[in-house]
Amino acid sequence: MLLEHINQPQDLKKLSIEQLEILAGETRQFLVEKLSVTGGHLSPNLGVVELTIALHYLFNSPYDKFIFDVGHQSYVHKMFTGRMAQFDTLRKYKGLCGFVKRSESEHDVWEAGHSSTSLSAAMGMAVARDLKGEHNKIVAIIGDGALTGGMAFEALNHIGHEKKNLMVILNDNEMSIAPNVGAMHNYLAKIRSDKHYMKAKEEVEYLLKKIPAIGGTLAKTMEKLKDSLKYMLVSGVIFEELGFTYLGPVDGHNLPALLETLKQAEKIEGPVMVHVLTLKGKGYLPAEADSHTWHGASPYKVESGKMLQVVGHPMYTQVFGDTLIELAKLDNRIVAVTPAMPGGSGLLKFAKEFPDRMIDVGIAEQHAATLCAGLASEGIKPVFAVYSTFLQRAYDQVVHDICRAKLNVVFAIDRAGFVGADGETHHGVFDITYLRSLPNIVVMMPKDENELRHMLKTSIDYNEGPIAVRYPRVNGLGVSMDEPLKSIPIGTWEVLRPGDSAVVLAVGPMIAIALEAAEALSKDGLQLRVVNARFIKPMDEAMLLQFSKEDLPIITMEEGAQMGGFGSGVLEFYANQSRYGMQIKILGVPDYFVEHGSVKEQRQEVGLTAERLVTEVKALMPRKRQHA
Ligand SMILES: Cc1ncc(C[n+]2csc(CCOP(=O)(O)OP(=O)(O)O)c2C)c(N)n1
Ligand SMILES: CC(=O)[C@@H](O)[C@H](O)COP(=O)(O)O
Ligand SMILES: [Mg+2]
């Protein structure tokens, strides 16, 4: 096995081209086997095996810098940079990260997780290199999906203008997570698919090479025509217009062709775009056949290609999708908008049922948000289905275009709270903080999947401005969902368990944890009142005033940043009411980025557990007795 002798990129350089091709096969086998146990981003990584081999074969990482966009396709890079032995811990707690990670290796020069940052980072590194008088290569590897991100266009605009020496490898597999969308996608498809065009291009390029030998006036005329001919036939003319030298498209699985093109690119001054055509999922038939499903694979059986289904009640995501269909049947104002996550957001069935009321804008959260504002300004009821972490990308649009204008946009915020294996770049732990501080917005979170249904109904019925319902990346609790949809009065909480020792104001999945703690405390004679604080904004002020009258110690519990979160809101409320001397404890996510692992491990790490709540309630008791 060649693979076992690859401990560092230099080991690749000792191999012949034939051996590199054998190594590609062994690398795929390694990925398919390892990820059948750990799960992970299988199809993206199977698509970049030859490309990653070629990059490490030709260039000298970490002196030459590889910047992976998103970073979910960096497993092969990690294999060749000394981390093969750690793949059993991929995306596990304290194990190998599923994205590029500077702390793991000197070869990991740029961290991401969110899309479309690689070109800006590459430009920054190129400017830095030139200011320092260094001469290393800078290579950004960006997918066709990530290229639909606005940041990528901002960077292309700047790079093409500044003409810095850097290389952009466009890994074009025609897929985002789902099939890619947009005009850029269509343009790339034209380049990819126009075989006659490619043939003509080859013939004319052959002729252009012969011009000097033709001699006489024809040669002079052809010489004059050369640029316009080249211009006409350079397939990536859009990139050439932006100041790049475009090379390709080249077969991303043909190592000799890849190596030749990259060697050619290396010699070119200024920015170069190398257009590489790959097959997402290459080499593993189930992933080739359905690279959408195999984009983020659960553990699976290699032979059958059957993913091991997680047994449990429907995910909140599925309940969202089903409920939105139910609501959309009754209300034709409803339009769903997704930034390239139709599957992850649970909208595939909706898209089938209402094809003309489902909009996938590509990886373009900023555009998606203001598109929703435009829709709402004309009386449509847009439902912006977005992961909490990716909504961060559109913060100004939420502030400037939606909240300030008080437009009736519904935010269906999925992956709210810890997300598990994707880790720190993907947790939805900041949206409570960044939304509750905005005027005109309602923010709520259900206690279970049935209440999610009612909150969606509430959102559609609400016409006083923007409203957000956030829900976690977990299975529901298995509660009944038979009752007819009903609106919930805005700003009302509910007491789920009575008690007069202390009050816990719990948000979303923290409620189940609070009920477990209450049960344990009752065995010690302490009665914890459990409140479903389902409206983060506006809060139930009547209930808050009641608690201060009863002089009850209060604990808030949220799977979100403590800084500026729901608990902060409770503190602010009492401070503004001049209710001094209240005993209030905030349980949330501390002020650091929580790494990958399982949701359970992440909650354990930050103390969002029943045991912790029991301890905190007991710690508040003596002072309460002192009062008496
Ligand atoms: C800002 C942002 N939005 C959405 C995502 C979710 N996401 C992760 S990978 C991906 C598709 C990327 O497509 P492409 O760049 O073509 O890479 P491929 O998986 O095809 O190799 C998306 C939408 C993200 N990581 N960041
Ligand atoms: C890399 C990326 O951002 C997406 O693939 C993300 O990992 C999807 O997350 P879910 O698995 O929660 O849909
Ligand atoms: Mg792609």
Side-chain angles (χ1 to χ4, degrees):
M1 281 276 271
L2 295 168
L3 195 56
E4 59 201 27
H5 302 293
I6 307 295
N7 300 303
Q8 283 306 324
Q10 292 76 357
D11 300 330
L12 283 173
K13 298 176 189 290
K14 302 168 195 161
L15 302 182
S16 68
I17 302 298
E18 294 69 28
Q19 286 175 315
L20 290 176
E21 288 175 332
I22 294 166
L23 179 70
E26 293 177 2
T27 302
R28 286 195 163 87
Q29 190 181 348
F30 177 93
L31 285 171
V32 169
E33 279 166 17
K34 290 294 180 186
L35 270 66
S36 70
V37 177
T38 62
H41 288 99
L42 181 65
S43 59
N45 283 281
L46 287 173
V48 295
V49 171
E50 287 83 5
L51 175 57
T52 310
I53 288 175
L55 289 172
H56 276 295
Y57 181 78
L58 275 182
F59 298 108
N60 299 299
S61 170
Y63 174 71
D64 295 332
K65 310 214 179 286
F66 299 152
I67 298 129
F68 290 91
D69 204 286
V70 182
H72 64 311
Q73 78 297 52
S74 60
Y75 297 0
V76 181
H77 163 76
K78 293 195 176 200
M79 287 171 64
F80 297 156
T81 51
R83 288 168 276 182
M84 235 177 288
Q86 297 166 49
F87 263 76
D88 296 322
T89 70
L90 180 66
R91 295 157 50 93
K92 304 289 176 220
Y93 191 63
K94 304 295 179 203
L96 200 60
C97 177
F99 300 95
V100 175
K101 189 89 185 143
R102 292 163 63 96
S103 59
E104 279 181 13
S105 165
E106 59 176 347
H107 296 277
D108 287 15
V109 295
W110 178 252
E111 296 190 1
H114 284 196
S115 165
S116 319
T117 67
S118 62
L119 304 191
S120 303
M123 179 61 180
M125 291 180 201
V127 170
R129 173 200 58 200
D130 296 351
L131 287 172
K132 293 188 288 182
E134 290 166 3
H135 301 282
N136 54 287
K137 301 288 179 207
I138 289 168
V139 182
I141 301 102
I142 184 168
D144 55 310
L147 193 63
T148 63
M151 265 188 85
F153 287 97
E154 293 169 14
L156 286 174
N157 185 49
H158 186 213
I159 294 167
H161 176 70
E162 297 294 326
K163 296 253 183 280
K164 287 288 179 189
N165 288 338
L166 62 83
M167 196 184 297
V168 174
I169 312 271
L170 173 55
N171 171 32
D172 180 6
N173 54 25
E174 304 179 70
M175 295 292 286
S176 186
I177 296 183
N180 205 357
V181 296
M184 177 56 82
H185 167 69
N186 298 338
Y187 174 72
L188 295 177
K190 178 171 160 293
I191 296 175
R192 255 192 322 266
S193 60
D194 190 338
K195 296 285 177 278
H196 311 296
Y197 176 81
M198 303 297 279
K199 190 83 189 80
K201 174 173 174 277
E202 275 162 28
E203 283 162 7
V204 171
E205 280 176 343
Y206 172 75
L207 181 65
L208 290 176
K209 280 186 192 132
K210 294 283 177 204
I211 285 176
I214 298 171
T217 47
L218 175 60
K220 287 197 181 60
T221 317
M222 289 295 278
E223 200 54 43
K224 288 199 190 90
L225 276 173
K226 188 172 179 178
D227 276 356
S228 49
L229 273 172
K230 185 172 182 296
Y231 178 96
M232 211 164 64
L233 286 160
V234 167
S235 39
V237 69
I238 194 171
F239 302 111
E240 296 259 337
E241 276 302 284
L242 288 176
F244 285 73
T245 301
Y246 170 90
L247 298 180
V250 61
D251 176 355
H253 303 301
N254 177 330
L255 258 174
L258 254 184
L259 290 169
E260 193 209 325
T261 307
L262 291 172
K263 279 182 199 151
Q264 194 189 344
E266 192 183 5
K267 297 190 193 90
I268 294 169
E269 285 295 307
V272 185
M273 165 81 69
V274 180
H275 184 188
V276 177
L277 306 184
T278 62
L279 174 64
K280 197 164 180 176
K282 171 102 178 158
Y284 183 58
L285 290 181
E288 285 188 12
D290 179 5
S291 65
H292 183 177
T293 303
W294 289 84
H295 172 87
S298 310
Y300 53 90
K301 286 262 177 255
V302 173
E303 304 68 35
S304 65
K306 284 262 170 297
M307 286 191 200
L308 310 179
Q309 292 310 330
V310 175
V311 182
H313 303 295
M315 299 273 290
Y316 278 81
T317 306
Q318 184 189 322
V319 174
F320 159 69
D322 294 344
T323 308
L324 195 64
I325 290 171
E326 188 181 345
L327 289 163
K329 284 177 179 168
L330 304 169
D331 185 340
N332 61 14
R333 295 176 305 149
I334 294 172
V335 168
V337 176
T338 175
M341 311 287 282
S345 298
L347 288 171
L348 293 177
K349 280 196 288 187
F350 183 95
K352 282 205 177 71
E353 190 99 21
F354 306 101
D356 57 347
R357 292 160 63 186
M358 165 73 179
I359 303 173
D360 180 354
V361 295
I363 308 180
E365 287 82 5
Q366 296 180 343
H367 167 60
T370 304
L371 174 85
C372 289
L375 284 163
S377 70
E378 289 299 311
I380 296 294
K381 179 66 84 168
V383 177
F384 184 9
V386 62
Y387 291 16
S388 165
T389 190
F390 301 141
L391 181 58
Q392 291 163 191
R393 208 24 95 78
Y395 190 52
D396 185 52
Q397 288 73 21
V398 174
V399 178
H400 177 267
D401 301 322
I402 296 171
C403 289
R404 190 194 46 74
K406 233 180 160 183
L407 289 167
N408 296 332
V409 172
V410 175
F411 294 91
I413 302 175
D414 201 339
R415 275 53 173 193
F418 288 132
V419 295
D422 274 340
E424 59 194 274
T425 52
H426 283 63
H427 293 318
V429 294
F430 302 116
D431 66 87
I432 292 178
T433 296
Y434 69 71
L435 289 177
R436 61 173 281 271
S437 55
L438 299 178
N440 303 331
I441 192 168
V442 172
V443 183
M444 50 189 172
M445 184 170 207
K447 66 172 181 279
D448 56 36
E449 64 273 35
N450 186 46
E451 194 166 59
L452 170 60
R453 295 174 61 242
H454 299 315
M455 286 189 167
L456 287 166
K457 164 76 172 154
T458 306
S459 304
I460 298 300
D461 291 349
Y462 182 74
N463 288 307
E464 310 298 317
I467 185 165
V469 51
R470 64 194 300 273
Y471 42 96
R473 187 185 193 278
V474 292
N475 297 85
L477 301 179
V479 298
S480 161
M481 294 193 278
D482 298 336
E483 63 182 341
L485 292 174
K486 61 181 192 265
S487 255
I488 302 170
I490 300 294
T492 60
W493 294 345
E494 61 173 346
V495 176
L496 297 174
R497 181 189 174 112
D500 58 5
S501 305
V503 180
V504 57
L505 305 178
V507 177
M510 299 298 101
I511 290 164
I513 293 171
L515 290 168
E516 186 189 332
E519 200 51 45
L521 284 161
S522 65
K523 294 186 175 68
D524 295 337
L526 294 169
Q527 299 310 320
L528 177 64
R529 185 179 310 175
V530 178
V531 173
N532 170 16
R534 57 191 176 184
F535 283 89
I536 289 153
K537 182 175 192 180
M539 296 190 292
D540 189 327
E541 297 190 354
M543 212 180 265
L544 285 169
L545 290 171
Q546 178 56 34
F547 301 146
S548 62
K549 281 202 188 83
E550 293 178 66
D551 189 22
L552 286 173
I554 293 173
I555 296 179
T556 65
M557 200 169 193
E558 63 202 286
E559 198 169 283
Q562 280 170 217
M563 309 281 275
F566 167 69
S568 299
V570 173
L571 283 178
E572 291 157 17
F573 175 79
Y574 286 121
N576 295 336
Q577 297 289 328
S578 310
R579 304 289 171 125
Y580 306 121
M582 300 267 314
Q583 289 177 272
I584 301 171
K585 177 83 181 173
I586 298 176
L587 302 188
V589 178
D591 187 25
Y592 70 94
F593 291 100
V594 177
E595 293 189 340
H596 52 281
S598 69
V599 170
K600 187 167 186 289
E601 288 163 331
Q602 288 154 351
R603 287 176 180 166
Q604 193 70 38
E605 178 179 316
V606 302
L608 288 174
T609 61
E611 296 74 22
R612 168 85 184 285
L613 184 52
V614 167
T615 306
E616 295 297 348
V617 170
K618 288 181 175 174
L620 288 167
M621 286 304 103
R623 198 172 149 209
K624 176 163 166 27
R625 289 210 182 90
Q626 283 158 18
H627 257 298

mmCIF file with all atom_site columns, all heavy atoms in Angstrom, residues 216-232:
data_model
loop_
_atom_site.group_PDB
_atom_site.id
_atom_site.type_symbol
_atom_site.label_atom_id
_atom_site.label_alt_id
_atom_site.label_comp_id
_atom_site.label_asym_id
_atom_site.label_entity_id
_atom_site.label_seq_id
_atom_site.pdbx_PDB_ins_code
_atom_site.Cartn_x
_atom_site.Cartn_y
_atom_site.Cartn_z
_atom_site.occupancy
_atom_site.B_iso_or_equiv
_atom_site.pdbx_formal_charge
_atom_site.auth_seq_id
_atom_site.auth_comp_id
_atom_site.auth_asym_id
_atom_site.auth_atom_id
_atom_site.pdbx_PDB_model_num
ATOM 1   N N   . GLY A 1 216 ? 3.656   36.072 -44.558 1.00 0.00 ? 216 GLY A N   1
ATOM 2   C CA  . GLY A 1 216 ? 2.944   36.961 -45.506 1.00 0.00 ? 216 GLY A CA  1
ATOM 3   C C   . GLY A 1 216 ? 1.828   37.740 -44.806 1.00 0.00 ? 216 GLY A C   1
ATOM 4   O O   . GLY A 1 216 ? 1.737   37.795 -43.581 1.00 0.00 ? 216 GLY A O   1
ATOM 5   N N   . THR A 1 217 ? 0.950   38.312 -45.658 1.00 0.00 ? 217 THR A N   1
ATOM 6   C CA  . THR A 1 217 ? -0.085  39.225 -45.113 1.00 0.00 ? 217 THR A CA  1
ATOM 7   C C   . THR A 1 217 ? -1.077  38.453 -44.243 1.00 0.00 ? 217 THR A C   1
ATOM 8   O O   . THR A 1 217 ? -1.557  38.957 -43.257 1.00 0.00 ? 217 THR A O   1
ATOM 9   C CB  . THR A 1 217 ? -0.875  39.871 -46.280 1.00 0.00 ? 217 THR A CB  1
ATOM 10  O OG1 . THR A 1 217 ? -1.223  38.838 -47.198 1.00 0.00 ? 217 THR A OG1 1
ATOM 11  C CG2 . THR A 1 217 ? -0.048  40.947 -46.975 1.00 0.00 ? 217 THR A CG2 1
ATOM 12  N N   . LEU A 1 218 ? -1.307  37.167 -44.623 1.00 0.00 ? 218 LEU A N   1
ATOM 13  C CA  . LEU A 1 218 ? -2.315  36.403 -43.842 1.00 0.00 ? 218 LEU A CA  1
ATOM 14  C C   . LEU A 1 218 ? -1.871  36.314 -42.381 1.00 0.00 ? 218 LEU A C   1
ATOM 15  O O   . LEU A 1 218 ? -2.646  36.532 -41.454 1.00 0.00 ? 218 LEU A O   1
ATOM 16  C CB  . LEU A 1 218 ? -2.490  34.987 -44.428 1.00 0.00 ? 218 LEU A CB  1
ATOM 17  C CG  . LEU A 1 218 ? -3.423  34.066 -43.618 1.00 0.00 ? 218 LEU A CG  1
ATOM 18  C CD1 . LEU A 1 218 ? -4.821  34.660 -43.530 1.00 0.00 ? 218 LEU A CD1 1
ATOM 19  C CD2 . LEU A 1 218 ? -3.480  32.660 -44.234 1.00 0.00 ? 218 LEU A CD2 1
ATOM 20  N N   . ALA A 1 219 ? -0.554  36.060 -42.258 1.00 0.00 ? 219 ALA A N   1
ATOM 21  C CA  . ALA A 1 219 ? -0.040  35.929 -40.877 1.00 0.00 ? 219 ALA A CA  1
ATOM 22  C C   . ALA A 1 219 ? -0.269  37.237 -40.124 1.00 0.00 ? 219 ALA A C   1
ATOM 23  O O   . ALA A 1 219 ? -0.747  37.241 -38.994 1.00 0.00 ? 219 ALA A O   1
ATOM 24  C CB  . ALA A 1 219 ? 1.435   35.581 -40.905 1.00 0.00 ? 219 ALA A CB  1
ATOM 25  N N   . LYS A 1 220 ? 0.027   38.345 -40.833 1.00 0.00 ? 220 LYS A N   1
ATOM 26  C CA  . LYS A 1 220 ? -0.130  39.647 -40.158 1.00 0.00 ? 220 LYS A CA  1
ATOM 27  C C   . LYS A 1 220 ? -1.595  39.848 -39.746 1.00 0.00 ? 220 LYS A C   1
ATOM 28  O O   . LYS A 1 220 ? -1.916  40.240 -38.639 1.00 0.00 ? 220 LYS A O   1
ATOM 29  C CB  . LYS A 1 220 ? 0.323   40.785 -41.086 1.00 0.00 ? 220 LYS A CB  1
ATOM 30  C CG  . LYS A 1 220 ? 1.840   40.857 -41.268 1.00 0.00 ? 220 LYS A CG  1
ATOM 31  C CD  . LYS A 1 220 ? 2.285   42.213 -41.836 1.00 0.00 ? 220 LYS A CD  1
ATOM 32  C CE  . LYS A 1 220 ? 3.799   42.256 -42.044 1.00 0.00 ? 220 LYS A CE  1
ATOM 33  N NZ  . LYS A 1 220 ? 4.228   41.176 -43.025 1.00 0.00 ? 220 LYS A NZ  1
ATOM 34  N N   . THR A 1 221 ? -2.515  39.495 -40.688 1.00 0.00 ? 221 THR A N   1
ATOM 35  C CA  . THR A 1 221 ? -3.959  39.668 -40.400 1.00 0.00 ? 221 THR A CA  1
ATOM 36  C C   . THR A 1 221 ? -4.351  38.778 -39.222 1.00 0.00 ? 221 THR A C   1
ATOM 37  O O   . THR A 1 221 ? -4.982  39.206 -38.258 1.00 0.00 ? 221 THR A O   1
ATOM 38  C CB  . THR A 1 221 ? -4.800  39.241 -41.637 1.00 0.00 ? 221 THR A CB  1
ATOM 39  O OG1 . THR A 1 221 ? -4.191  39.748 -42.794 1.00 0.00 ? 221 THR A OG1 1
ATOM 40  C CG2 . THR A 1 221 ? -6.240  39.720 -41.489 1.00 0.00 ? 221 THR A CG2 1
ATOM 41  N N   . MET A 1 222 ? -3.894  37.486 -39.311 1.00 0.00 ? 222 MET A N   1
ATOM 42  C CA  . MET A 1 222 ? -4.263  36.551 -38.226 1.00 0.00 ? 222 MET A CA  1
ATOM 43  C C   . MET A 1 222 ? -3.687  37.024 -36.898 1.00 0.00 ? 222 MET A C   1
ATOM 44  O O   . MET A 1 222 ? -4.308  36.947 -35.851 1.00 0.00 ? 222 MET A O   1
ATOM 45  C CB  . MET A 1 222 ? -3.713  35.149 -38.547 1.00 0.00 ? 222 MET A CB  1
ATOM 46  C CG  . MET A 1 222 ? -4.441  34.465 -39.693 1.00 0.00 ? 222 MET A CG  1
ATOM 47  S SD  . MET A 1 222 ? -6.165  34.129 -39.284 1.00 0.00 ? 222 MET A SD  1
ATOM 48  C CE  . MET A 1 222 ? -5.981  32.599 -38.351 1.00 0.00 ? 222 MET A CE  1
ATOM 49  N N   . GLU A 1 223 ? -2.468  37.602 -37.017 1.00 0.00 ? 223 GLU A N   1
ATOM 50  C CA  . GLU A 1 223 ? -1.853  38.099 -35.780 1.00 0.00 ? 223 GLU A CA  1
ATOM 51  C C   . GLU A 1 223 ? -2.772  39.136 -35.143 1.00 0.00 ? 223 GLU A C   1
ATOM 52  O O   . GLU A 1 223 ? -3.029  39.114 -33.948 1.00 0.00 ? 223 GLU A O   1
ATOM 53  C CB  . GLU A 1 223 ? -0.483  38.724 -36.121 1.00 0.00 ? 223 GLU A CB  1
ATOM 54  C CG  . GLU A 1 223 ? 0.462   38.832 -34.935 1.00 0.00 ? 223 GLU A CG  1
ATOM 55  C CD  . GLU A 1 223 ? 0.705   37.510 -34.186 1.00 0.00 ? 223 GLU A CD  1
ATOM 56  O OE1 . GLU A 1 223 ? 0.887   36.469 -34.861 1.00 0.00 ? 223 GLU A OE1 1
ATOM 57  O OE2 . GLU A 1 223 ? 0.615   37.519 -32.934 1.00 0.00 ? 223 GLU A OE2 1
ATOM 58  N N   . LYS A 1 224 ? -3.307  40.033 -36.022 1.00 0.00 ? 224 LYS A N   1
ATOM 59  C CA  . LYS A 1 224 ? -4.208  41.077 -35.497 1.00 0.00 ? 224 LYS A CA  1
ATOM 60  C C   . LYS A 1 224 ? -5.480  40.437 -34.921 1.00 0.00 ? 224 LYS A C   1
ATOM 61  O O   . LYS A 1 224 ? -6.002  40.825 -33.904 1.00 0.00 ? 224 LYS A O   1
ATOM 62  C CB  . LYS A 1 224 ? -4.602  42.065 -36.614 1.00 0.00 ? 224 LYS A CB  1
ATOM 63  C CG  . LYS A 1 224 ? -3.479  42.988 -37.058 1.00 0.00 ? 224 LYS A CG  1
ATOM 64  C CD  . LYS A 1 224 ? -3.989  44.215 -37.806 1.00 0.00 ? 224 LYS A CD  1
ATOM 65  C CE  . LYS A 1 224 ? -2.838  44.994 -38.444 1.00 0.00 ? 224 LYS A CE  1
ATOM 66  N NZ  . LYS A 1 224 ? -2.583  44.495 -39.836 1.00 0.00 ? 224 LYS A NZ  1
ATOM 67  N N   . LEU A 1 225 ? -5.904  39.352 -35.602 1.00 0.00 ? 225 LEU A N   1
ATOM 68  C CA  . LEU A 1 225 ? -7.167  38.711 -35.172 1.00 0.00 ? 225 LEU A CA  1
ATOM 69  C C   . LEU A 1 225 ? -6.960  37.855 -33.920 1.00 0.00 ? 225 LEU A C   1
ATOM 70  O O   . LEU A 1 225 ? -7.880  37.465 -33.227 1.00 0.00 ? 225 LEU A O   1
ATOM 71  C CB  . LEU A 1 225 ? -7.703  37.799 -36.288 1.00 0.00 ? 225 LEU A CB  1
ATOM 72  C CG  . LEU A 1 225 ? -8.540  38.458 -37.390 1.00 0.00 ? 225 LEU A CG  1
ATOM 73  C CD1 . LEU A 1 225 ? -8.847  37.460 -38.498 1.00 0.00 ? 225 LEU A CD1 1
ATOM 74  C CD2 . LEU A 1 225 ? -9.833  38.987 -36.778 1.00 0.00 ? 225 LEU A CD2 1
ATOM 75  N N   . LYS A 1 226 ? -5.669  37.615 -33.624 1.00 0.00 ? 226 LYS A N   1
ATOM 76  C CA  . LYS A 1 226 ? -5.356  36.591 -32.616 1.00 0.00 ? 226 LYS A CA  1
ATOM 77  C C   . LYS A 1 226 ? -6.104  36.818 -31.309 1.00 0.00 ? 226 LYS A C   1
ATOM 78  O O   . LYS A 1 226 ? -6.822  35.972 -30.815 1.00 0.00 ? 226 LYS A O   1
ATOM 79  C CB  . LYS A 1 226 ? -3.843  36.598 -32.352 1.00 0.00 ? 226 LYS A CB  1
ATOM 80  C CG  . LYS A 1 226 ? -3.373  35.460 -31.483 1.00 0.00 ? 226 LYS A CG  1
ATOM 81  C CD  . LYS A 1 226 ? -1.843  35.444 -31.434 1.00 0.00 ? 226 LYS A CD  1
ATOM 82  C CE  . LYS A 1 226 ? -1.322  34.323 -30.557 1.00 0.00 ? 226 LYS A CE  1
ATOM 83  N NZ  . LYS A 1 226 ? 0.149   34.268 -30.548 1.00 0.00 ? 226 LYS A NZ  1
ATOM 84  N N   . ASP A 1 227 ? -5.985  38.065 -30.802 1.00 0.00 ? 227 ASP A N   1
ATOM 85  C CA  . ASP A 1 227 ? -6.616  38.288 -29.493 1.00 0.00 ? 227 ASP A CA  1
ATOM 86  C C   . ASP A 1 227 ? -8.123  38.101 -29.568 1.00 0.00 ? 227 ASP A C   1
ATOM 87  O O   . ASP A 1 227 ? -8.723  37.459 -28.726 1.00 0.00 ? 227 ASP A O   1
ATOM 88  C CB  . ASP A 1 227 ? -6.266  39.700 -28.991 1.00 0.00 ? 227 ASP A CB  1
ATOM 89  C CG  . ASP A 1 227 ? -4.916  39.665 -28.294 1.00 0.00 ? 227 ASP A CG  1
ATOM 90  O OD1 . ASP A 1 227 ? -4.390  38.517 -28.186 1.00 0.00 ? 227 ASP A OD1 1
ATOM 91  O OD2 . ASP A 1 227 ? -4.393  40.703 -27.883 1.00 0.00 ? 227 ASP A OD2 1
ATOM 92  N N   . SER A 1 228 ? -8.710  38.679 -30.677 1.00 0.00 ? 228 SER A N   1
ATOM 93  C CA  . SER A 1 228 ? -10.183 38.555 -30.704 1.00 0.00 ? 228 SER A CA  1
ATOM 94  C C   . SER A 1 228 ? -10.562 37.076 -30.866 1.00 0.00 ? 228 SER A C   1
ATOM 95  O O   . SER A 1 228 ? -11.482 36.599 -30.239 1.00 0.00 ? 228 SER A O   1
ATOM 96  C CB  . SER A 1 228 ? -10.783 39.374 -31.846 1.00 0.00 ? 228 SER A CB  1
ATOM 97  O OG  . SER A 1 228 ? -10.078 39.084 -33.015 1.00 0.00 ? 228 SER A OG  1
ATOM 98  N N   . LEU A 1 229 ? -9.759  36.324 -31.638 1.00 0.00 ? 229 LEU A N   1
ATOM 99  C CA  . LEU A 1 229 ? -10.061 34.887 -31.766 1.00 0.00 ? 229 LEU A CA  1
ATOM 100 C C   . LEU A 1 229 ? -9.927  34.215 -30.404 1.00 0.00 ? 229 LEU A C   1
ATOM 101 O O   . LEU A 1 229 ? -10.806 33.504 -29.943 1.00 0.00 ? 229 LEU A O   1
ATOM 102 C CB  . LEU A 1 229 ? -9.080  34.221 -32.747 1.00 0.00 ? 229 LEU A CB  1
ATOM 103 C CG  . LEU A 1 229 ? -9.441  34.258 -34.210 1.00 0.00 ? 229 LEU A CG  1
ATOM 104 C CD1 . LEU A 1 229 ? -8.288  33.748 -35.053 1.00 0.00 ? 229 LEU A CD1 1
ATOM 105 C CD2 . LEU A 1 229 ? -10.684 33.395 -34.451 1.00 0.00 ? 229 LEU A CD2 1
ATOM 106 N N   . LYS A 1 230 ? -8.811  34.545 -29.758 1.00 0.00 ? 230 LYS A N   1
ATOM 107 C CA  . LYS A 1 230 ? -8.580  33.914 -28.437 1.00 0.00 ? 230 LYS A CA  1
ATOM 108 C C   . LYS A 1 230 ? -9.709  34.336 -27.510 1.00 0.00 ? 230 LYS A C   1
ATOM 109 O O   . LYS A 1 230 ? -10.312 33.541 -26.820 1.00 0.00 ? 230 LYS A O   1
ATOM 110 C CB  . LYS A 1 230 ? -7.219  34.352 -27.886 1.00 0.00 ? 230 LYS A CB  1
ATOM 111 C CG  . LYS A 1 230 ? -6.845  33.656 -26.583 1.00 0.00 ? 230 LYS A CG  1
ATOM 112 C CD  . LYS A 1 230 ? -5.398  33.971 -26.174 1.00 0.00 ? 230 LYS A CD  1
ATOM 113 C CE  . LYS A 1 230 ? -5.006  33.233 -24.907 1.00 0.00 ? 230 LYS A CE  1
ATOM 114 N NZ  . LYS A 1 230 ? -5.816  33.662 -23.760 1.00 0.00 ? 230 LYS A NZ  1
ATOM 115 N N   . TYR A 1 231 ? -10.002 35.661 -27.545 1.00 0.00 ? 231 TYR A N   1
ATOM 116 C CA  . TYR A 1 231 ? -11.060 36.205 -26.691 1.00 0.00 ? 231 TYR A CA  1
ATOM 117 C C   . TYR A 1 231 ? -12.340 35.404 -26.928 1.00 0.00 ? 231 TYR A C   1
ATOM 118 O O   . TYR A 1 231 ? -12.975 34.935 -26.017 1.00 0.00 ? 231 TYR A O   1
ATOM 119 C CB  . TYR A 1 231 ? -11.266 37.679 -27.037 1.00 0.00 ? 231 TYR A CB  1
ATOM 120 C CG  . TYR A 1 231 ? -12.365 38.349 -26.268 1.00 0.00 ? 231 TYR A CG  1
ATOM 121 C CD1 . TYR A 1 231 ? -12.094 39.091 -25.110 1.00 0.00 ? 231 TYR A CD1 1
ATOM 122 C CD2 . TYR A 1 231 ? -13.690 38.215 -26.653 1.00 0.00 ? 231 TYR A CD2 1
ATOM 123 C CE1 . TYR A 1 231 ? -13.099 39.696 -24.395 1.00 0.00 ? 231 TYR A CE1 1
ATOM 124 C CE2 . TYR A 1 231 ? -14.702 38.809 -25.942 1.00 0.00 ? 231 TYR A CE2 1
ATOM 125 C CZ  . TYR A 1 231 ? -14.411 39.543 -24.818 1.00 0.00 ? 231 TYR A CZ  1
ATOM 126 O OH  . TYR A 1 231 ? -15.418 40.123 -24.111 1.00 0.00 ? 231 TYR A OH  1
ATOM 127 N N   . MET A 1 232 ? -12.665 35.213 -28.215 1.00 0.00 ? 232 MET A N   1
ATOM 128 C CA  . MET A 1 232 ? -13.930 34.549 -28.550 1.00 0.00 ? 232 MET A CA  1
ATOM 129 C C   . MET A 1 232 ? -13.920 33.117 -28.021 1.00 0.00 ? 232 MET A C   1
ATOM 130 O O   . MET A 1 232 ? -14.906 32.604 -27.544 1.00 0.00 ? 232 MET A O   1
ATOM 131 C CB  . MET A 1 232 ? -14.068 34.496 -30.078 1.00 0.00 ? 232 MET A CB  1
ATOM 132 C CG  . MET A 1 232 ? -15.465 34.549 -30.586 1.00 0.00 ? 232 MET A CG  1
ATOM 133 S SD  . MET A 1 232 ? -15.392 34.956 -32.315 1.00 0.00 ? 232 MET A SD  1
ATOM 134 C CE  . MET A 1 232 ? -14.541 33.501 -32.916 1.00 0.00 ? 232 MET A CE  1
#
